[in-house]
Amino acid sequence: MEEKKLYTLLVYSENIAGILNQITAVFTRRQVNIESLNVSASSIEGVHKYTITAWSDPDQIEKITRQIEKKIDVVKANYFTDDQLFIRESGLYKLSTESVLQNPEISRTIRRFDAHIIEVNPTYTIVMKHGITEDIIAIYRALNAFGCVLQYTRSGRIAVTRGMQEQVSAFLEEREKR
């Protein structure tokens, strides 16, 4: 049995109600958990981009990608490993202002991780960090060790391929020629 890796799927579809349900149903049927999901408009007018991460083996992720691509409203679907993409996430950390003021190490930790304080009030301090998943989790663990974290969340992954244009662009150009 092959070892599971984290894959990122980039799925492009028309903006049709219900397509997200159809895409996630493919994962459910194969009993693969989605780790993160981000949906937004793409650089192509009328086409939405789904960035989905999931732990899988190469055979399983290939089957999932093919099944998703068979959906009528899906334009294109591809899977990637982390080295094939430029990836970012955001993390938000709500900290106890009292703790932040009493312990200068907390502020040093925020600076060391190149995070930003975006709001301070008497009750809480909000810190934001952009970066790769490992960095977002690492600052959470460092801050949590001080016992000052009131809330924490991180965004789904956003990703672009390392190529010059979105892979769906060539596919759409070819389809237009027909």
Side-chain angles (χ1 to χ4, degrees):
M1 185 169 149
E2 294 187 63
E3 192 172 318
K4 292 187 178 194
K5 290 174 30 176
L6 185 66
Y7 286 95
T8 301
L9 280 81
L10 299 182
V11 180
Y12 299 87
S13 78
E14 297 178 37
N15 189 15
I16 306 293
I19 190 69
L20 178 58
N21 188 44
Q22 292 177 45
I23 292 169
T24 58
V26 173
F27 288 89
T28 303
R29 278 195 301 278
R30 295 207 166 260
Q31 297 183 342
V32 173
N33 189 45
I34 293 174
E35 291 293 318
S36 73
L37 171 67
N38 183 295
V39 182
S40 65
S42 73
S43 61
I44 301 159
E45 189 175 330
V47 175
H48 272 60
K49 181 178 183 177
Y50 301 74
T51 306
I52 306 166
T53 60
W55 289 94
S56 184
D57 59 63
D59 183 53
Q60 178 91 304
I61 204 69
E62 193 173 310
K63 288 175 183 171
I64 289 170
T65 304
R66 279 199 314 261
Q67 282 185 314
I68 290 172
E69 205 163 32
K70 287 179 185 176
K71 303 294 177 193
I72 290 174
D73 297 316
V74 170
V75 176
K76 190 80 177 133
N78 295 92
Y79 65 91
F80 302 90
T81 55
D82 285 1
D83 61 325
Q84 297 172 305
L85 298 169
F86 183 81
I87 300 162
R88 286 295 177 264
E89 287 185 15
S90 294
L92 279 176
Y93 314 85
K94 185 185 218 180
L95 311 178
S96 161
T97 298
E98 182 180 347
S99 297
V100 172
L101 293 174
Q102 289 177 353
N103 187 347
E105 266 312 300
I106 295 172
S107 293
R108 282 194 270 284
T109 300
I110 292 167
R111 285 193 301 278
R112 190 175 76 241
F113 279 94
D114 198 26
H116 304 280
I117 295 174
I118 58 174
E119 183 178 333
V120 178
N121 68 41
T123 309
Y124 59 83
T125 299
I126 303 292
V127 174
M128 180 174 241
K129 168 75 178 146
H130 302 290
I132 60 174
T133 308
E134 292 78 12
D135 293 345
I136 302 298
I137 294 169
I139 187 174
Y140 165 71
R141 289 184 178 141
L143 292 170
N144 199 41
F146 294 112
C148 65
V149 178
L150 302 173
Q151 291 181 36
Y152 157 71
T153 190
R154 65 176 224 251
S155 69
R157 175 178 279 193
I158 56 171
V160 292
T161 60
R162 295 204 177 263
M164 291 297 289
Q165 63 182 3
E166 298 207 54
Q167 292 203 338
V168 72
S169 298
F171 173 81
L172 290 172
E173 287 171 14
E174 190 62 35
R175 192 169 80 173
E176 289 294 318
K177 290 178 185 175
R178 292 182 203 162

